[in-house]
Amino acid sequence: MVTVNDLMTVIPSSIAPNTPMRTVIGVMKTEGCRQLPVLENGKLVGIITDRDVRLVMNSPVVLHGRWQDEDLLDNVTAESCMTPNPITVTPSTPAYRAAEMLSIYKFGALPVLENDTVVGIITVTDFLDYAARVLAEDVIPG
């Protein structure tokens, strides 16, 4: 049986709750990721996504100036827009269960915890990569 451990990104980048949006965006760009676990004293306290960042930075109802964007980037922290206490899985969770959770809850990722320590993150992209490999095996003789 395929487990989360077989597909997850091992030891993902993470940030602290007091990390400003400018740094959050920088880490996401540098690491090429759309979700970051938020850790405080080594413990998972939340998850922040690119959607959370977009909601902070781009209100479709409120027009604001460039200086206000700079203020948001420097003064809004991960803690103020993260999802606290996210749903998690373990490395031994069957992969299909994690896929069901991502689908049911419309999440992009689930932190992977082992003994209360973040050891990875499982994302929709991890599942797409896996599906692409499996489907390619049907087309390309192994």
Side-chain angles (χ1 to χ4, degrees), residues 58-118:
N58 300 314
S59 171
V61 226
V62 180
L63 294 175
H64 58 270
R66 178 76 179 142
W67 69 269
Q68 290 164 311
D69 285 341
E70 295 294 326
D71 190 52
L72 289 171
L73 286 169
D74 293 328
N75 295 311
V76 175
T77 63
E79 185 173 36
S80 65
C81 57
M82 71 182 188
T83 299
N85 306 312
I87 295 173
T88 63
V89 292
T90 67
S92 62
T93 301
Y96 77 91
R97 287 272 187 229
E100 287 173 341
M101 293 166 74
L102 290 170
S103 178
I104 289 167
Y105 297 112
K106 307 292 188 243
F107 293 155
L110 294 167
V112 182
L113 268 61
E114 189 166 48
N115 301 321
D116 291 330
T117 300
V118 175

Side-chain angles (χ1 to χ4, degrees), residues 5-141:
N5 190 65
D6 299 318
L7 305 179
M8 71 182 189
T9 300
V10 179
I11 310 175
S13 295
S14 61
I15 56 169
N18 63 348
T19 304
M21 283 297 104
R22 186 180 302 277
T23 304
V24 171
I25 293 167
V27 172
M28 285 182 173
K29 283 183 179 178
T30 302
E31 299 297 322
C33 63
R34 296 185 314 219
Q35 305 89 5
L36 289 169
V38 181
L39 305 180
E40 187 168 43
N41 300 320
K43 298 294 178 196
L44 181 71
V45 294
I47 189 166
I48 189 165
T49 69
D50 59 343
R51 181 177 185 272
D52 298 327
V53 172
R54 284 192 311 273
L55 288 173
V56 167
M57 298 305 300
N58 300 314
S59 171
V61 226
V62 180
L63 294 175
H64 58 270
R66 178 76 179 142
W67 69 269
Q68 290 164 311
D69 285 341
E70 295 294 326
D71 190 52
L72 289 171
L73 286 169
D74 293 328
N75 295 311
V76 175
T77 63
E79 185 173 36
S80 65
C81 57
M82 71 182 188
T83 299
N85 306 312
I87 295 173
T88 63
V89 292
T90 67
S92 62
T93 301
Y96 77 91
R97 287 272 187 229
E100 287 173 341
M101 293 166 74
L102 290 170
S103 178
I104 289 167
Y105 297 112
K106 307 292 188 243
F107 293 155
L110 294 167
V112 182
L113 268 61
E114 189 166 48
N115 301 321
D116 291 330
T117 300
V118 175
V119 295
I121 192 165
I122 184 86
T123 69
V124 170
T125 302
D126 294 327
F127 281 102
L128 290 172
D129 290 344
Y130 175 72
R133 286 192 307 273
V134 170
L135 293 170
E137 290 171 5
D138 286 344
V139 177
I140 304 167

